[in-house]
Structures are given as C-alpha cells and as structure tokens.
Amino acid sequence: ADVLGGFGQVLGAYPEAMGVIPAGEQRKQADEQRQRLKHLRENALDLDQRFTLAPSFVLTPQAIAQQLRFAKRRNPDLSLAVIDHLALLQLAGDNRNNAIGDATRTFKLLAVELGLDVLLLSQLSRAVEGRSDKMPMLSDLRESGAIEQDADLVVFLLRPGYYDQDADPRELIYNVAKNRDGATGRFPASTYAEFSAVVDSHQSVTP
C-alpha cells in the first residue's frame, strides 16, 4: 500500500497540461518527483530482499519444509511462509484425508521449529454454494478436519458482491472462525482488485 500510495503521489504531482507554472515551481516539483521516485526504488529493493518465491516444482510438504529451512538460514528475519495452496501439494498415501493431516502437522511443527508463521491457503467445499448465507464456516474446509484441528487461526474471506450484484463490489468480510489465542468474529474490509490491494474498511486506495 505504501508503494501504491507513493506512486499515486508521483502521478498527482504532474501539473495540468494547459497550466502555466513558474520556473522556480517547476524545479521544486521536479526535485519532489525525484525524491518520490527514489523512495519507490528503495521500497522495491526492500521488498525484493524480504520476499522469496519458491520454485513451482516444490510441491511436497517435505520439499517445502526443506526450502523454508534453507530460506530461514539465509534470512534469519524470515517470519512468514505462504503456501498456495493445499490442494496442489503432492501427498503420499491412498487416504487423502490422512495425507492432508500429515501435511498440516508437518507445517505446524515447522512453524514451531523455525519460529515463523505459516499461512496455508485451502479451498472450500461446494456446500457453501447451496446455502443462502454464503459466509464460509469450519465445516466447509475441504477434504479434512485436520486443517481445523492443527490450525491456530482459521480465517475465511467473503466478497458479498460475488453472489449479490447489488452489494458493494469493494466490500470484503474477514470471518475469524477459529483463534486459539484470541477472539473470533467478523471484520469489514475493502478490496481494490485493480491494485491487488485489501485495506481497512475506512481506508481507500487511489492511483
């Protein structure tokens, strides 16, 4: 959001095409634009240093664990791993529910071992499509109750506008359905698909 906001400030700094601007003001605006662009470049470099994208062929829980151990050694400040998503993992065994349970336990133990948070994305079952209330619930977790059992925190997302054309297209609802160490409940937010951004409901994102 900071990068987008900075970019918006750079764009907003340009004068009207037909405006007449004194030379001194032009130099001042040019200096401000250079400083903003420098800030954007520094933000981009900082993001590049803090984020690591694992290769797409790493699809077993064990291989992902190995990659994360390597990444943690290389960057001790690593604090979050995002796995997108559970259904794409290559799981061993004929019983998929048991295999998913093994995977979720692997990631839970890995989080403790490395001292980082593991955000594991998962699909939902189709049951939610047949209900009038489209808010996902714990029973909608696809394929295995082990996800609910092992997770410290389960958060569902709902965009009412996906089902209701009259709803605000930017409305997003977080449903904290499980929180081992805190409160549960629903929290409003806003989504800006054109910027791939999600912000608090009282904020906005502009170009």
Side-chain angles (χ1 to χ4, degrees), residues 90-110:
Q90 295 176 356
L91 303 176
D94 296 330
N95 188 315
R96 186 165 176 82
N97 285 349
N98 290 341
I100 289 177
D102 291 339
T104 57
R105 283 188 292 275
T106 294
F107 295 134
K108 185 177 182 68
L109 293 173
L110 187 68

Side-chain angles (χ1 to χ4, degrees), residues 20 70 106 110 161-162 174 177 180 192:
V20 178
F70 174 78
T106 294
L110 187 68
Y162 181 81
Y174 287 96
R180 198 183 301 275
Y192 290 79

Side-chain angles (χ1 to χ4, degrees), residues 81-180:
V82 180
I83 301 172
D84 182 14
H85 55 84
L86 182 60
L88 295 178
L89 296 181
Q90 295 176 356
L91 303 176
D94 296 330
N95 188 315
R96 186 165 176 82
N97 285 349
N98 290 341
I100 289 177
D102 291 339
T104 57
R105 283 188 292 275
T106 294
F107 295 134
K108 185 177 182 68
L109 293 173
L110 187 68
V112 175
E113 173 191 339
L114 300 182
L116 52 75
D117 295 319
V118 176
L119 177 58
L120 178 60
L121 305 184
S122 176
Q123 291 180 313
L124 298 176
S125 71
R126 293 289 185 180
V128 67
E129 302 290 341
R131 298 197 305 261
S132 57
D133 182 1
K134 302 301 184 182
M135 177 61 69
M137 59 183 66
L138 290 172
S139 60
D140 294 323
L141 287 172
R142 190 171 183 176
E143 296 179 307
S144 176
I147 304 172
E148 176 186 351
Q149 175 181 318
D150 290 331
D152 291 330
L153 186 71
V154 177
V155 180
F156 296 111
L157 302 180
L158 173 66
R159 289 191 297 115
Y162 181 81
Y163 298 101
D164 183 359
Q165 294 183 348
D166 296 328
D168 182 355
R170 298 202 185 280
E171 182 183 8
L172 177 70
I173 301 173
Y174 287 96
N175 179 19
V176 181
K178 178 185 177 182
N179 188 354
R180 198 183 301 275

